[in-house]
Amino acid sequence: MKNQCSVVFSVVRLLIGTIVLFQVKADDEEFIKTKGVQLMLNGSPFYANGFNAYWLMYMAASDKTKVSDVFQQAKDHGLTMARTWAFSDGGADNPLQYSPGSYNEHMFQGLDFVISEAKKYEIKLVLSLVNNYEQFGGKKQYVDWARNQGQTISSDDDFFTNSAVKDYYKNHIKSVLTRQNTMTGMLYKDETTIMAWELINEPRCSSDPSGNTFQTWVTEMASYLKSIDGNHLLEIGLEGFYGQSSPQKIHNNPNFQVGTDFIANNQIPGIDFVTVHSYPDQWLTNANEEAQISFLNEWLSNHIHDAQNILQKPLLFAEFGKSYKNFGNSQRDELFQTVYSAIYSSASSGGAATGGMFWQLFTEGMDSFRDGYEVIFNEHPSTCGIITDQSHKINRIRKMYVKLRNIENRKRARDTRRAQANDSNEN
């Protein structure tokens, strides 16, 4: 089997060098699944270059043209996957969920539009269901709701243990998954444009550094979500920090632990693929550029190795970026090149890395949203070129596998015809 795999990947590398493809058109009739360390779409391995745009639902509720523009630009640059929020909890700024179970229909229709437009532009979506941070409500809003109903709350980490809070969150899962899209007529859980659900963006449970609290929560929520939707993939939203299940790996963390465990959490049944985030500029604030890139190379390599050999699940680099305002375009471009090189090296040899999504893509006229990490193609030509080149490479890999599958299908069909002809002659 090992020799056969080596032959296949050698053929893939050869084909990558000879066939040019920019945009792969996928049949949206099937859900993306997993097979070993690969994502699969329509019987072939699925690889993608993508982007984050947390603001899509929020913007769609007020200015749909921004959503259409960013999807068009993404498609023009070969991007085929996007990650965005399917949450906005409490507060006064036009939330999705006013209070537990009470939803803003206008905002939900914005998310309907996002899914419909993503389908139009052939972009798969990863939808996150709650935030770890206070922005857009997050776990703090959930525990505040419970506190206001008389629950005894000691910290925001009670989000993971309080029964009332967990019920609020489960209700949100059910409300989103069973939502009927007003534009497509389909329930979200039946929308093939949605690639995966994410339980929580960048979870942290510092009150229990052992990781047991978070492990229990993921087990419960993964089981609940899968009881409603057995079609879509599910990931946790982890940044990739190692925990107590692999103490020999903790030294790979950037000098802090947050109560999550990259190995143990991702071994939970129902978690289909693993995610990693990469922000050396935020994690190693006192390190120089050389030290940050050295850390990043090790971070990427270790997680690709562990996804492939320990977890044996596909790996998606779901967030990475660097502030060009603080470090300039050249340092950001180096980070993008480093991440993309690791992804391509793994993907082109059949490894666990299936793609990456940079933080974050904007279109013109979004000045109030800027955070220094945004990419606007017209404003950042060097970064744009790096992203587009990666799209070419990743989409070529997809095309190679599709071609190999088509060759195999034709061979099977030919063999079947020959067998039928032989049977006919014998009769």
Side-chain angles (χ1 to χ4, degrees):
M1 190 67 180
K2 182 177 180 181
N3 290 337
Q4 290 175 344
C5 288
S6 297
V7 171
V8 169
F9 295 139
S10 295
V11 171
V12 169
R13 285 183 179 277
L14 177 62
L15 290 171
I16 287 171
T18 59
I19 293 182
V20 176
L21 177 73
F22 187 72
Q23 189 73 29
V24 178
K25 186 174 183 178
D27 181 356
D28 250 356
E29 293 182 355
E30 293 189 12
F31 293 92
I32 293 180
K33 299 296 184 181
T34 64
K35 183 179 181 181
V37 298
Q38 292 177 319
L39 300 175
M40 302 292 292
L41 177 62
N42 301 324
S44 297
F46 175 80
Y47 297 91
N49 197 27
F51 62 98
N52 281 271
Y54 75 87
W55 49 269
L56 291 173
M57 176 182 68
Y58 180 87
M59 188 64 75
S62 59
D63 187 356
K64 291 181 171 61
T65 60
K66 290 285 192 296
V67 176
S68 300
D69 287 348
V70 85
F71 279 150
Q72 179 66 69
Q73 291 175 29
K75 182 173 183 177
D76 290 346
H77 292 83
L79 299 171
T80 57
M81 179 168 53
R83 175 172 171 264
T84 193
W85 298 167
F87 64 79
S88 178
D89 304 306
D93 194 17
N94 205 17
L96 172 63
Q97 187 175 195
Y98 292 117
S99 59
S102 177
Y103 286 90
N104 180 345
E105 175 61 20
H106 180 66
M107 189 63 71
F108 238 143
Q109 288 182 15
L111 188 55
D112 293 345
F113 179 78
V114 170
I115 296 169
S116 176
E117 283 295 277
K119 181 181 181 69
K120 175 181 175 182
Y121 289 99
E122 300 174 343
I123 292 174
K124 296 294 185 182
L125 294 175
V126 176
L127 297 182
S128 187
L129 294 166
V130 71
N131 205 1
N132 177 74
Y133 310 110
E134 293 184 28
Q135 291 86 350
F136 297 93
K139 67 183 185 184
K140 183 180 188 304
Q141 180 62 75
Y142 276 86
V143 298
D144 283 349
W145 282 331
R147 185 183 289 110
N148 292 338
Q149 293 300 313
Q151 293 288 311
T152 300
I153 300 294
S154 58
S155 78
D156 290 352
D157 284 351
D158 285 359
F159 175 86
F160 301 112
T161 58
N162 181 275
S163 59
V165 174
K166 289 192 292 182
D167 285 344
Y168 293 160
Y169 177 66
K170 286 180 179 178
N171 184 71
H172 179 62
I173 291 175
K174 184 177 181 180
S175 297
V176 173
L177 272 58
T178 59
R179 162 77 177 182
Q180 184 174 26
N181 191 315
T182 56
M183 301 198 68
T184 68
M186 300 180 69
L187 302 182
Y188 282 14
K189 69 187 183 74
D190 296 326
E191 292 270 16
T192 54
T193 298
I194 299 170
M195 171 182 140
W197 304 109
E198 177 178 282
L199 287 178
I200 178 171
N201 172 55
E202 296 189 343
R204 300 187 175 193
C205 185
S206 56
S207 62
D208 182 9
S210 75
N212 293 332
T213 297
F214 187 67
Q215 182 83 353
T216 300
W217 182 85
V218 173
T219 301
E220 180 179 352
M221 296 308 164
S223 176
Y224 179 75
L225 187 148
K226 287 288 189 173
S227 74
I228 300 173
D229 181 0
N231 288 320
H232 286 104
L233 301 179
L234 176 64
E235 50 96 351
I236 301 170
L238 294 176
E239 295 160 278
F241 303 127
Y242 292 101
Q244 297 302 317
S245 71
S246 51
Q248 75 280 10
K249 295 179 180 292
I250 290 177
H251 73 276
N252 295 308
N253 291 343
N255 298 321
F256 56 84
Q257 291 178 254
V258 296
T260 62
D261 189 319
F262 178 72
I263 299 298
N265 298 159
N266 282 311
Q267 289 175 325
I268 292 172
I271 301 304
D272 297 298
F273 66 96
V274 306
T275 63
V276 172
H277 295 188
S278 302
Y279 291 106
D281 64 326
Q282 295 182 18
W283 298 344
L284 305 173
T285 54
N286 295 322
N288 60 26
E289 171 69 2
E290 183 179 357
Q292 289 186 10
I293 290 297
S294 177
F295 167 84
L296 179 61
N297 276 309
E298 289 292 322
W299 184 254
L300 301 170
S301 175
N302 288 332
H303 285 85
I304 291 172
H305 175 273
D306 292 342
Q308 181 147 344
N309 297 291
I310 299 176
L311 298 170
Q312 298 180 350
K313 294 181 179 183
L315 166 63
L316 181 64
F317 289 97
E319 281 191 36
F320 61 91
K322 192 165 192 173
S323 172
Y324 72 92
K325 288 185 177 180
N326 294 334
F327 300 97
N329 285 315
S330 62
Q331 286 195 25
R332 179 167 76 169
D333 288 352
E334 183 177 7
L335 180 137
F336 275 51
Q337 289 277 29
T338 302
V339 175
Y340 283 157
S341 177
I343 292 170
Y344 180 74
S345 178
S346 173
S348 63
S349 59
T354 60
M357 297 187 286
F358 64 86
W359 186 277
Q360 59 176 322
L361 184 60
F362 281 8
T363 188
E364 293 81 0
M366 296 180 60
D367 289 352
S368 64
F369 289 77
R370 290 177 182 261
D371 63 358
Y373 290 80
E374 74 275 1
V375 174
I376 300 175
F377 288 133
N378 288 341
E379 292 184 12
H380 306 108
S382 61
T383 310
C384 173
I386 293 168
I387 293 168
T388 305
D389 183 59
Q390 179 75 354
S391 295
H392 277 287
K393 292 178 178 178
I394 292 298
N395 284 330
R396 285 173 189 152
I397 295 174
R398 285 184 62 190
K399 180 63 175 179
M400 299 315 104
Y401 279 109
V402 170
K403 181 169 184 176
L404 288 172
R405 180 171 179 265
N406 290 341
I407 291 171
E408 182 62 26
N409 287 343
R410 287 195 295 270
K411 182 178 181 298
R412 287 199 192 100
R414 185 173 62 248
D415 291 345
T416 299
R417 289 194 300 269
R418 286 175 178 172
Q420 291 172 343
N422 289 338
D423 291 344
S424 177
N425 291 335
E426 289 176 0
N427 293 332

